[in-house]
């Protein structure tokens, strides 16, 4: 079975079935539908709507680590991530899925209030303080 790959800024997006409630890492909207609802990057696991994959402005962290000649990420300001305990259900801003557990469920950025899984922190782009919706409008 051949899967079509949609490349954008080093991301290799493929259509995927999302088995749990998931939010788009670009527009922050809920991803609805039956079947293959969204696109997920094969390298960094970033999940976006099918309509949002062309609008992604950040470079894929997995591809830029391998090649140092590429331009830096938009904003190129690293996140100040620290372990955080959430008092209500919270979703990862990178992969869009729920942060599980009772304490220390994930990482929180003090600069832009981004929330991510511990496993996702290495894949998050250096775009602290950059609003993708505003940057995309230019």
């Amino acid at each position: 079975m051949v899967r079509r790959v949609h490349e954008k800024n080093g991301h290799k997006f493929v259509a995927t079935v999302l088995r749990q409630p998931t939010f788009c890492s670009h527009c922050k909207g809920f991803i609805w539908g039956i079947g293959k609802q969204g696109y997920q990057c094969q390298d960094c696991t970033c999940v976006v709507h099918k309509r949002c994959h062309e609008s992604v402005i950040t470079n894929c962290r997995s591809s830029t680590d391998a090649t140092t000649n590429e331009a830096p990420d938009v904003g190129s300001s690293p996140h100040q991530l620290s372990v955080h305990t959430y008092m209500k259900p919270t979703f990862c801003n990178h992969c869009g899925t729920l942060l599980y557990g009772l304490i220390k469920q994930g990482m929180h950025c003090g600069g832009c209030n981004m929330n991510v899984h511990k496993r996702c922190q290495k894949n998050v782009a250096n775009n602290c303080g950059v609003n993708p919706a505003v940057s995309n409008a230019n």
Side-chain angles (χ1 to χ4, degrees), residues 2 9 12 14 16 19 24-25 33 41 47 49 52 54 65 68-69 72 80 83 115 121 133 138:
V2 177
N9 292 343
K12 296 175 184 169
V14 293
T16 187
R19 302 192 193 296
C24 176
S25 66
C41 178
V47 178
H49 287 108
C52 291
E54 282 294 327
D65 288 345
T68 57
N69 295 338
Q80 300 100 34
V83 177
N115 302 301
Q121 73 178 358
N138 295 334

Side-chain angles (χ1 to χ4, degrees), residues 5 7 13 20 28 44 51 53 66 68 81 90 100-101 112 123 128 138:
V5 177
E7 292 194 38
F13 291 113
Q20 59 183 310
K28 310 297 184 242
C44 72
R51 67 177 180 262
H53 85 280
T68 57
L81 295 171
T90 305
Y100 291 104
C112 66
N123 295 325
C128 186
N138 295 334

Side-chain angles (χ1 to χ4, degrees), residues 39-114:
Y39 284 175
Q40 184 171 28
C41 178
Q42 292 177 321
D43 294 331
C44 72
T45 69
C46 168
V47 178
V48 295
H49 287 108
K50 289 181 180 181
R51 67 177 180 262
C52 291
H53 85 280
E54 282 294 327
S55 303
V56 173
I57 59 172
T58 57
N59 292 328
C60 182
R61 290 293 299 224
S62 298
S63 65
T64 56
D65 288 345
T67 59
T68 57
N69 295 338
E70 287 194 27
D73 283 338
V74 174
S76 65
S77 177
H79 293 280
Q80 300 100 34
L81 295 171
S82 60
V83 177
H84 191 75
T85 298
Y86 300 92
M87 300 312 228
K88 59 183 180 179
T90 305
F91 287 82
C92 177
N93 292 121
H94 181 72
C95 71
T97 59
L98 188 67
L99 298 171
Y100 291 104
L102 298 174
I103 60 169
K104 300 180 181 178
Q105 300 98 323
M107 307 295 285
H108 178 77
C109 177
C112 66
N113 293 324
M114 174 183 251

